[in-house]
Amino acid sequence: MSILEKDLVVKKATREAFGDEIVKLGKENKNIYVIDVDIAKSCKTTKFIKELPDQHINVGIAEQNAAGLAAGLATTGKIPFVSTYAVFGSLRMAEQIRQEICYPNLNVKIACSHGGLTPANDGGSHQAIEDMGVLRTFPNMTVIMGADYYSTRKLVEQAANMYGPVYLRFTRDAVPVIYDEHEEFTIGKAKKIKDGEDIAIIANGDTVWLAIEATKQLEAKGISVKLFDMHTIKPLDREAVLECIDIGNIITVEDHNILNGLGSAVCEVVAEEGKGIVRRIGVQDQFGQSAPYQKLLELNGITVENIVAKAMELLRK
């Protein structure tokens, strides 16, 4: 059964995928450490603490200290995962990540729950909508957000097995399970969900399932859609973007500010090639509000209906 034939009714938060995978990895490799900042329950590392207490450190509410500690552990051959909320793991730790982790190119992983609008009712202060954009500008940094439970597990495993700084972004809310457990993923290589000829859709993270549903509707209208899950924002899969440029009409979809995120990264390639049209769907350069997750998506036009509408608009042009 193809992904487009599935009923995406089973939902799991991708933070759950991190919590499950990091225990597996920690048992296999005793150099893997988790550094918590007093929110293990929310970030799903309590199982790791219970089963691998000697590979766990809690520094309290001190994210910048966690980054420095992780850098120190990395110099001794350990593979530290700093676990916190995305808004803190990107913005509060930004200087330490830049100076102490990326500049010396240390093997530190920043593993963050509550990415994008999924903190929802926690309000704009806790919604990380700039994080991937900020960290993709740091040299040596890899930036990843899996679309569902199984893709996230595979990408966490790959991040643990590659050398260098990695930022991993997870959802607080449950999102549809798209892939099966045997699907393979490669960091830096987009997952092509469907080939097509009329329009291209490139989505990231918790918006991939929306892009799938929009693709179903467009295909029902006789429109052929090329669909990519661009789980790695940096390094961006340039070859995948070039495939989309050949079509000419491109829509990007992300749970992130349309400035400096997936949409901007794709536009950079399109501008360098000098051809193609891009429409960016995402957070419209504004802070979030305290509201249910689905409502926040709707307020920013991150919906199936808007993806379809943008596609039809592009095709009319």
Side-chain angles (χ1 to χ4, degrees):
M1 179 185 295
S2 74
I3 288 172
L4 293 183
E5 294 173 317
K6 291 182 179 179
D7 291 324
L8 303 181
V9 293
V10 177
K11 295 185 177 182
K12 296 184 78 171
T14 59
R15 61 176 170 159
E16 300 275 2
F18 170 67
D20 292 339
E21 187 63 25
I22 199 65
V23 172
K24 170 181 169 288
L25 295 171
K27 289 178 178 179
E28 294 171 351
N29 186 345
K30 295 303 179 182
N31 282 323
I32 288 178
Y33 275 62
V34 167
I35 303 173
D36 271 313
V37 294
D38 248 8
I39 46 175
K41 183 178 180 180
S42 292
C43 293
K44 302 302 177 183
T45 55
T46 50
K47 185 178 178 183
F48 189 96
I49 296 169
K50 181 179 179 181
E51 299 195 26
L52 299 162
D54 293 339
Q55 293 165 246
H56 176 263
I57 302 169
N58 181 14
V59 300
I61 305 171
E63 289 84 0
Q64 293 162 322
N65 184 36
L69 174 59
L73 284 172
T75 65
T76 70
K78 306 302 182 186
I79 307 171
F81 280 74
V82 179
S83 177
T84 183
Y85 292 164
V87 71
F88 303 137
S90 58
L91 303 179
R92 184 173 294 174
M93 288 166 51
E95 182 181 0
Q96 286 71 31
I97 293 172
R98 181 183 186 272
Q99 298 295 105
E100 299 174 23
I101 295 171
C102 288
Y103 188 75
N105 195 27
L106 295 178
N107 195 25
V108 175
K109 320 302 174 185
I110 314 297
C112 291
S113 180
H114 292 54
L117 296 170
T118 64
N121 292 327
D122 290 342
S125 63
H126 276 55
Q127 292 159 14
I129 56 174
E130 318 89 349
D131 52 330
M132 294 194 291
V134 170
L135 294 182
R136 84 178 182 97
T137 65
F138 291 177
N140 297 321
M141 177 61 81
T142 296
V143 179
I144 299 168
M145 186 179 189
D148 77 341
Y149 178 86
Y150 289 115
S151 63
T152 298
R153 287 198 66 160
K154 293 292 180 68
L155 292 164
V156 169
E157 179 184 32
Q158 287 201 15
N161 291 327
M162 67 170 278
Y163 185 89
V166 180
Y167 179 69
L168 294 151
R169 188 197 212 215
F170 314 125
T171 65
R172 177 193 183 277
D173 277 32
V175 293
V177 175
I178 298 166
Y179 303 104
D180 65 44
E181 60 184 313
H182 303 297
E183 198 79 42
E184 293 299 323
F185 295 84
T186 302
I187 290 174
K189 181 69 175 176
K191 172 67 72 173
K192 185 188 290 186
I193 296 174
K194 185 187 174 300
D195 217 340
E197 300 175 351
D198 297 327
I199 197 158
I201 302 175
I202 306 173
N204 168 261
D206 51 315
T207 69
V208 172
W209 76 274
L210 296 171
I212 291 170
E213 294 302 321
T215 296
K216 292 178 183 178
Q217 292 190 18
L218 289 166
E219 292 279 333
K221 297 175 184 290
I223 297 164
S224 178
V225 180
K226 184 187 292 287
L227 175 60
F228 279 108
D229 169 359
M230 190 69 77
H231 49 74
T232 307
I233 300 296
K234 183 187 178 185
L236 191 74
D237 186 348
R238 188 180 181 90
E239 293 303 315
V241 178
L242 291 177
E243 270 194 50
C244 298
I245 290 173
D246 288 341
I247 291 175
N249 295 316
I250 304 169
I251 295 172
T252 61
V253 194
E254 60 193 310
D255 181 358
H256 187 277
N257 196 326
I258 58 170
L259 302 178
N260 206 23
L262 170 67
S264 289
V266 170
C267 284
E268 289 160 13
V269 179
V270 171
E272 287 167 357
E273 291 298 311
K275 58 181 180 180
I277 299 173
V278 181
R279 293 290 181 268
R280 295 172 295 164
I281 294 175
V283 178
Q284 298 298 302
D285 192 25
Q286 61 189 0
F287 287 104
Q289 304 173 44
S290 183
Y293 169 52
Q294 188 62 41
K295 181 66 174 178
L296 292 173
L297 292 177
E298 291 169 3
L299 286 171
N300 284 278
I302 309 172
T303 63
V304 173
E305 293 75 18
N306 194 35
I307 298 169
V308 172
K310 292 291 184 187
M312 299 305 293
E313 174 191 313
L314 276 175
L315 290 170
R316 281 195 296 271
K317 288 182 181 297

